[in-house]
Amino acid sequence: MDIHLEKRNEILAETVIKGLKSRNMTGYYAKNKEEALKLALGLIAKGSSITMGGCMSAKEIGLVSALKEGDYHFIDRTKLEPREALLAAYDADIFLSSANALTDDGILVNIDGNANRVSCIAQGPKKVLFIVSMNKICSDLDSAMKRARNIAAPANAQRFDIKTPCKLTGKCTDCKSQDTICCQFLITRYSRHTERIHVILVNEDLGF
């Protein structure tokens, strides 16, 4: 990465972390995937029960593999019935997620199809750990919503065997397709519970 862009991201991360703190959330900055993995494991106690939504960023930094191989109770939702997986997630010590977008003053934006991810972010698991790449930082809530709808959602749609306009056009048409993955929108502007939400900002492009 260009040294000037790296410095810019480091400075921007300081602003985001201050914004998160003002919203009773805790932020961290990692210069690369390896540093992000070390930070994440430092926030997860041995023996913890852990689950996740479809968090590609956690996989990309090697966190999922480390948890499966380590002294942790990783709940693999793909091996459970949907409702069983959801109830297990609500009772977990740690829920892993990324964000579709994050404003530079600390507001998290997420879109979901079945609400399993956004519902766990909102309440349930004792701690929520976000892995968020710096390319997802937006200047305000409006641009964060646009990023979530026009970049994250169309890219995410490519992963599934669904028929949505965004999968064909690459942009949001505010559809009401039966297959839409934009059913629930969650804007997290404040955490009432201290030490519940932790956000690791990573100076690499991860996820969507």
Side-chain angles (χ1 to χ4, degrees):
M1 178 177 288
D2 180 84
I3 190 170
H4 301 297
L5 180 57
E6 186 173 341
K7 184 61 178 177
R8 174 262 184 188
N9 284 351
E10 185 177 336
I11 294 170
L12 178 58
E14 292 177 1
T15 300
V16 179
I17 290 169
K18 288 179 183 177
L20 288 165
K21 184 177 181 180
S22 75
R23 301 176 185 281
N24 207 29
M25 297 182 274
T26 307
Y28 313 81
Y29 178 68
K31 294 180 180 179
N32 51 48
K33 294 178 184 178
E34 293 75 22
E35 196 170 302
L37 176 59
K38 184 177 180 180
L39 277 170
L41 291 174
L43 292 168
I44 302 173
K46 294 290 180 67
S48 296
S49 57
I50 305 141
T51 190
M52 58 188 283
C55 183
M56 298 301 295
S57 298
K59 294 177 181 177
E60 290 173 17
I61 67 168
L63 180 56
V64 175
S65 296
L67 293 172
K68 287 182 176 180
E69 296 167 4
D71 185 17
Y72 307 94
H73 174 43
F74 185 81
I75 303 166
D76 189 343
R77 66 180 185 136
T78 64
K79 297 180 180 179
L80 302 173
E81 292 297 320
R83 182 162 180 79
E84 183 184 6
L86 182 61
L87 294 176
Y90 284 156
D91 196 40
D93 294 316
I94 310 284
F95 185 78
L96 303 178
S97 185
S98 188
N100 295 139
L102 170 60
T103 66
D104 58 16
D105 63 346
I107 299 175
L108 293 151
V109 174
N110 286 281
I111 299 177
D112 223 346
N114 292 314
N116 60 304
R117 185 171 62 103
V118 297
S119 62
C120 286
I121 292 170
Q123 65 174 355
K126 296 180 181 69
K127 182 186 291 185
V128 182
L129 176 56
F130 285 90
I131 310 297
V132 183
S133 55
M134 291 300 296
N135 60 304
K136 296 183 179 181
I137 307 301
C138 300
S139 60
D140 53 35
L141 185 56
D142 183 58
S143 58
M145 289 293 291
K146 288 178 178 176
R147 186 193 189 282
R149 301 187 75 171
N150 290 289
I151 297 178
N156 200 28
Q158 306 304 319
R159 300 167 54 211
F160 305 112
D161 183 21
I162 57 176
K163 296 179 180 179
T164 61
C166 71
K167 188 171 184 177
L168 299 175
T169 66
K171 65 178 182 178
C172 180
T173 61
D174 197 26
C175 79
K176 296 177 183 176
S177 164
Q178 184 67 34
D179 286 340
T180 181
I181 60 173
C182 298
C183 298
Q184 288 86 22
F185 292 69
L186 178 66
I187 296 172
T188 306
R189 63 170 297 276
Y190 194 89
S191 176
R192 180 168 289 178
H193 306 286
T194 303
E195 290 296 313
R196 181 172 184 267
I197 294 181
H198 298 256
V199 181
I200 297 176
L201 303 168
V202 190
N203 190 36
E204 296 201 37
D205 288 354
L206 303 170
F208 307 121

